[in-house]
């Protein structure tokens, strides 16, 4: 390969304008051109930027090494283009084809330049194909990464939505937990609860776990920590909604909940909270 | 050297820790506070740590010490305003500050002290009335 | 693979230095986008290790780095001293073990507060403790 590579990068750089014109011509002639999403001027500017950063960073060594760190600036521009195209509404297929149409332009130019040397032409074609294919893959990776970020963000949002803190009464907060409690969710629940305690100045928090399918020792540990942290801040935390199965597991696992106020239902926890605040709920007797 | 001001409010003392604490500063607070409790015959001590972004094992221990020492001098200690992140961290660290009362803010801390303490009656004389 | 993104050395020779150290760590952690609770855990852990260094080894150096591993960013702290070293690490890592008439919470507590904890100590040569807190760890 070393017998031809030295020229290839230089040749391409020399032919920059031809390549750009060819590439633009290919793109504008394509039936799938999305003028609705990107004007022709914008498309040209985008293509020019990509081609220039590629040609600037290309040399005789790295042209055959698609993994070379030299291509970082290219990958950066490419990722930027992929992301902005994805946002504009291009399909990954359209963006992929956009990159591959650059290959056609590059190959046409190389073909003209090396038409007298079939052996070198074959090598050059292979090298260029490999390089552009790898860029194509990059655009897909970027696209997927973008999607993954959306999913991660949504996961975070769901976790937040699924742990609402409710002000039940002056000084009393309730946090009904529904669904499985894992470490990271408990973390969110705990932080949420403690922050709300500060924000509302509530001195009693009720953690209702009737919607939690199972309590293992890790979850119990987290619950105990939540209660301890609440106390450090100067509030009291009651755990309610303990089903008989959960009481059984807790004891079987040897978890000591004796320092924690536990109640079977949210209603009895509320009654207990009223007691702590010295509040009395009474039926009013009306005159008949 | 920096010093943490101690405010006297009737039968209570209020300490608001605004600066970042390093060990020697915390230790001098312990000494000053205990002196002050004894001198003023205070019945309650409020330590406001709402401005503290961290409390490590050393500071936690000093707070515990202050509470135990005040107890011996017949005063109750309430730590108020601990930030959620600080509370979570202390629990993970393994420090529960057993024996220290806590409250959400100064106001609630006052209320708590008032329920815990039987204040000396409107007696003009300062000394305790054992004989009665 | 853990890649350091930037680093800074902080000397801890006296108590007040630990306040400077905390602030430097806070700045680094904020840059990674770390949440308040994890920041607090990290800074508390650092405070414990810095105190140990001062108390048992007469001070030392801390390397503060922002690091990345795949998608995760975090802060790595390396505490290095040339003190007496710790003869029995397993013992020192136990809750309640202290040669300083203290609670013995520092080392085991620190380990619980961070994502990664590594301790190397040679009696007579010194101690190196490295901790990492990942942004979401
Ligand atoms: N940098 C160090 N050099 C030498 N010995 C150390 C060092 N750090 C810790 N040690 C030893 O390990 C023991 C345990 O440390 P740890 O921080 O867990 O507890 P402590 O400092 O004694 O108490 P606490 O941190 O709760 O105040 C110490 O008592 C000390 O003997
Ligand atoms: Mg220690």
């Amino acid at each position: 390969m070393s017998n031809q590579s030295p020229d290839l990068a230089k040749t391409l750089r020399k032919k920059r304008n031809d390549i750009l014109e060819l590439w633009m011509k290919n793109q504008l002639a394509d039936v799938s051109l999305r003028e609705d999403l990107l004007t022709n001027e914008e498309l040209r500017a985008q293509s020019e930027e990509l081609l220039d950063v590629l040609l600037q960073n290309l040399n005789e060594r790295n042209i055959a090494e698609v993994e070379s760190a030299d291509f970082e600036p290219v990958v950066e521009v490419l990722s930027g283009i992929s992301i902005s195209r994805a946002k504009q509404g291009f399909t990954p297929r359209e963006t992929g084809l956009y990159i591959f149409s650059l290959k056609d332009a590059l190959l046409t130019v190389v073909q003209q330049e090396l038409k007298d040397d079939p052996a070198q032409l074959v090598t050059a074609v292979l090298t260029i194909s490999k390089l552009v294919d790898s860029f194509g893959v990059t655009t897909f990776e970027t696209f997927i990464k973008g999607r993954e970020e959306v999913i991660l963000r949504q996961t975070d949002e769901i976790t937040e939505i699924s742990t609402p803190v409710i002000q039940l009464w002056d000084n009393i907060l309730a946090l009904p937990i529904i669904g499985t409690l894992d470490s990271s969710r408990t973390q969110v629940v705990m932080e949420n609860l403690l922050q709300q305690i500060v924000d509302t100045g509530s001195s009693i928090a009720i953690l209702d776990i009737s919607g939690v399918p199972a309590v293992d020792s890790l979850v119990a540990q987290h619950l105990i920590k939540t209660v301890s942290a609440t106390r450090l801040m100067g509030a009291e935390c009651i755990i309610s909604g303990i089903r008989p199965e959960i009481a059984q597991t807790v004891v079987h696992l040897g978890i000591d909940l004796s320092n924690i106020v536990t109640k079977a239902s949210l209603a009895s926890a509320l009654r207990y909270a009223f007691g702590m605040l010295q509040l009395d709920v009474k039926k009013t007797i009306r005159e008949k | 050297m920096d010093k943490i001001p101690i405010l006297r409010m009737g039968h209570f003392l209020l300490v608001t820790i605004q600066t970042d604490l390093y060990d020697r500063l915390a230790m001098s607070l312990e000494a000053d506070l205990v002196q002050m409790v004894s001198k003023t015959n205070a019945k309650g001590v409020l330590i406001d740590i709402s401005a503290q972004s961290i409390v490590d094992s050393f500071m936690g221990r000093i707070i515990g010490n202050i509470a135990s020492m005040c107890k011996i001098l017949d005063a109750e200690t309430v730590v108020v305003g601990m930030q959620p992140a600080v509370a979570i961290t202390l629990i993970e660290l393994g420090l529960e500050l057993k024996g220290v009362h806590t409250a959400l803010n100064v106001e609630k801390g006052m209320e708590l002290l008032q329920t815990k303490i039987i204040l000396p009656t409107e007696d003009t004389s300062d000394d305790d009335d054992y004989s009665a | 693979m853990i890649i350091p993104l930037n680093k800074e050395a902080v000397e801890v020779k006296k108590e007040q230095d630990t306040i400077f150290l905390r602030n430097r760590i806070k700045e680094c952690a904020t840059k990674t986008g770390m949440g308040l609770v994890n920041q607090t855990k990290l800074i508390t852990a650092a405070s414990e290790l810095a105190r140990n260094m001062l108390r048992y080894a007469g001070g030392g150096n801390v390397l503060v780095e922002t690091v990345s591993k795949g998608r995760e960013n975090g802060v790595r702290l390396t505490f290095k001293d040339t003190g007496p070293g710790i003869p029995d690490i397993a013992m020192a890592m136990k809750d309640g073990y202290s040669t300083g008439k203290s609670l013995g919470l520092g080392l085991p507590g620190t380990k619980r507060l961070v994502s990664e904890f590594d301790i190397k100590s040679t009696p007579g040569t010194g101690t190196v403790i490295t901790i990492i807190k990942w942004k979401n760890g």
Side-chain angles (χ1 to χ4, degrees):
Chain A
M1 213 168 307
S2 51
N3 59 341
Q4 61 86 25
S5 293
D7 306 314
L8 190 51
K10 226 183 280 167
T11 311
L12 291 176
R13 231 187 325 267
K14 220 166 48 208
K15 291 276 167 196
R16 181 232 178 228
N17 290 342
D18 294 356
I19 298 171
L20 182 63
E21 288 319 315
L22 252 162
W23 188 18
M24 288 312 298
K25 210 176 80 195
N26 290 348
Q27 291 189 67
L28 297 180
D30 197 321
V31 286
S32 62
L33 180 70
R34 299 291 301 267
E35 275 175 284
D36 52 328
L37 298 178
L38 205 60
T39 66
N40 289 350
E41 292 79 54
E42 285 168 335
L43 180 63
R44 191 184 175 88
Q46 196 171 69
S47 306
E48 208 167 346
E49 186 193 4
L50 181 59
L51 182 62
D52 282 343
V53 70
L54 170 62
L55 292 180
Q56 272 157 25
N57 289 288
L58 203 62
N59 59 39
E60 70 253 34
R61 267 179 306 99
N62 63 26
I63 193 163
E65 293 171 34
V66 292
E67 298 291 349
S68 165
D70 298 354
F71 291 125
E72 261 165 36
V74 185
V75 170
E76 206 170 289
V77 172
L78 202 53
S79 307
I81 291 177
S82 313
I83 291 169
S84 74
R85 281 184 163 242
K87 281 189 191 139
Q88 280 160 336
F90 283 93
T91 63
R93 183 190 180 81
E94 281 163 345
T95 304
L97 289 176
Y98 161 73
I99 302 301
F100 292 133
S101 68
L102 168 62
K103 180 156 74 176
D104 294 340
L106 290 170
L107 291 182
T108 311
V109 168
V110 170
Q111 204 174 12
Q112 284 161 5
E113 286 297 303
L114 297 175
K115 58 177 172 298
D116 301 325
D117 194 339
Q120 277 202 15
L121 181 60
V122 171
T123 326
V125 167
L126 281 177
T127 308
I128 288 173
S129 295
K130 242 198 196 140
L131 192 65
V132 180
D133 288 352
S134 137
F135 292 153
V137 172
T138 302
T139 68
F140 286 107
E141 277 173 353
T142 312
F143 192 84
I144 291 169
K145 218 165 115 196
R147 284 291 158 102
E148 268 172 10
E149 266 154 28
V150 171
I151 294 172
L152 282 178
R153 209 181 48 235
Q154 285 173 343
T155 316
D156 282 352
E157 276 164 16
I158 291 169
T159 331
E160 231 158 79
I161 296 166
S162 61
T163 56
V165 182
I166 304 157
Q167 180 101 46
L168 275 188
W169 204 269
D170 244 11
N171 275 316
I172 306 174
L173 289 181
L175 200 159
I177 305 172
I178 291 156
T180 312
L181 267 182
D182 58 14
S183 285
S184 70
R185 179 142 183 250
T186 323
Q187 187 88 6
V188 176
V189 167
M190 179 171 8
E191 290 182 33
N192 223 351
L193 181 66
L194 299 192
Q195 193 54 52
Q196 289 289 322
I197 288 177
V198 175
D199 293 348
T200 62
S202 302
S203 48
I204 300 173
I206 303 170
L207 210 59
D208 186 83
I209 59 168
S210 41
V212 177
V215 171
D216 58 11
S217 55
L218 206 63
V219 172
Q221 219 61 54
H222 283 305
L223 290 176
I224 295 172
K225 280 184 192 165
T226 308
V227 174
S228 310
T230 322
R231 282 185 187 155
L232 272 185
M233 288 176 45
E236 186 54 58
C237 185
I238 305 166
I239 299 197
S240 74
I242 304 198
R243 284 175 281 117
E245 308 88 84
I246 290 185
Q248 273 182 301
T249 4
V250 163
V251 172
H252 284 155
L253 288 169
I255 301 161
D256 181 14
L257 291 184
S258 60
N259 282 320
I260 295 180
V261 183
T262 50
K263 296 284 162 206
S265 69
L266 184 59
S268 50
L270 185 60
R271 194 171 306 131
Y272 181 85
F274 281 156
M276 283 178 75
L277 295 171
Q278 290 158 321
L279 291 175
D280 205 0
V281 183
K282 269 199 220 125
K283 194 178 254 169
T284 48
I285 302 158
R286 253 178 273 165
E287 309 266 317
K288 285 210 180 127
Chain B
M1 207 178 89
D2 319 299
K3 222 170 170 48
I4 296 160
I6 302 171
L7 229 72
R8 188 178 170 182
M9 301 169 74
H11 295 279
F12 303 147
L13 297 179
L14 173 64
V15 186
T16 308
I17 308 176
Q18 294 283 4
T19 44
D20 285 328
L21 277 188
Y22 47 92
D23 296 4
R24 219 146 1 100
L25 194 55
M27 274 153 73
S28 73
L29 173 67
E30 175 188 297
D32 291 352
L33 201 50
V34 175
Q35 285 291 331
M36 191 83 158
V37 167
S38 148
K39 208 168 69 192
T40 62
N41 214 356
K43 292 286 165 251
V45 175
L46 283 167
I47 306 176
D48 182 358
I49 59 164
S50 55
Q52 293 297 297
S53 56
I54 79 155
V55 172
D56 61 13
S57 71
F58 189 82
M59 251 187 84
R61 196 144 44 98
I62 293 280
I63 292 173
N65 286 351
I66 291 176
S68 314
M69 293 168 187
C70 291
K71 185 89 202 161
I72 300 176
L73 295 170
D74 194 27
E76 297 288 338
T77 306
V78 183
V79 171
V80 303
M82 186 184 290
Q83 295 296 325
V86 172
I88 295 173
T89 302
L90 273 184
I91 294 300
E92 205 72 52
L93 194 61
L95 219 60
E96 295 194 27
L97 297 185
K98 288 218 174 77
V100 180
H101 303 298
T102 53
L104 286 175
N105 48 43
V106 175
E107 203 189 327
K108 295 212 156 143
M110 285 282 195
E111 279 168 26
L112 183 65
L113 276 181
Q114 255 134 19
T115 63
K116 293 256 181 266
I117 295 162
I118 305 138
L119 287 173
T121 41
E122 307 295 306
D123 208 0
T124 36
S125 77
D126 232 0
D127 41 28
D128 289 352
D129 198 12
Y130 291 101
S131 47
Chain C
M1 201 178 55
I2 296 171
I3 307 158
L5 302 175
N6 74 58
K7 60 174 85 181
E8 183 183 348
V10 178
E11 202 170 61
V12 178
K13 287 275 176 259
K14 52 182 191 314
E15 274 181 22
Q16 278 94 328
D17 294 344
T18 57
I19 294 185
F20 178 74
L21 176 70
R22 286 184 210 164
N23 293 337
R24 297 305 303 137
I25 297 171
K26 171 123 203 145
E27 229 167 87
C28 270
T30 309
K31 252 186 249 157
T32 65
M34 191 183 286
L36 185 61
V37 172
N38 279 346
Q39 280 191 23
T40 308
K41 288 183 177 174
L42 173 68
I43 296 169
T44 308
S47 188
E48 295 294 333
L49 296 180
R51 174 173 304 105
N52 280 354
M53 214 157 71
L54 282 168
R55 186 179 297 169
Y56 304 112
N61 273 294
V62 185
L63 187 65
V64 181
E65 295 170 294
T66 34
V67 291
S68 86
K69 182 171 115 186
R71 292 176 155 271
E72 269 286 43
N73 283 333
V75 175
R76 176 166 67 187
L77 305 173
T78 311
F79 291 76
K80 198 175 196 165
D81 68 59
T82 51
I86 303 171
D88 190 341
I89 292 179
M91 199 66 170
M93 291 304 299
K94 281 215 183 85
D95 267 324
Y97 174 83
S98 169
T99 62
K101 291 209 194 70
S102 193
L103 301 176
L105 278 180
L107 289 178
T110 298
K111 187 171 179 174
R112 285 191 289 268
L113 291 175
V114 297
S115 323
E116 288 174 38
F117 182 99
D118 178 65
I119 175 166
K120 288 193 180 63
S121 190
T122 322
T125 311
T127 305
V128 181
I129 299 178
T130 308
I131 57 176
I132 300 179
K133 186 81 191 168
W134 296 116
K135 183 182 147 195
N136 299 310

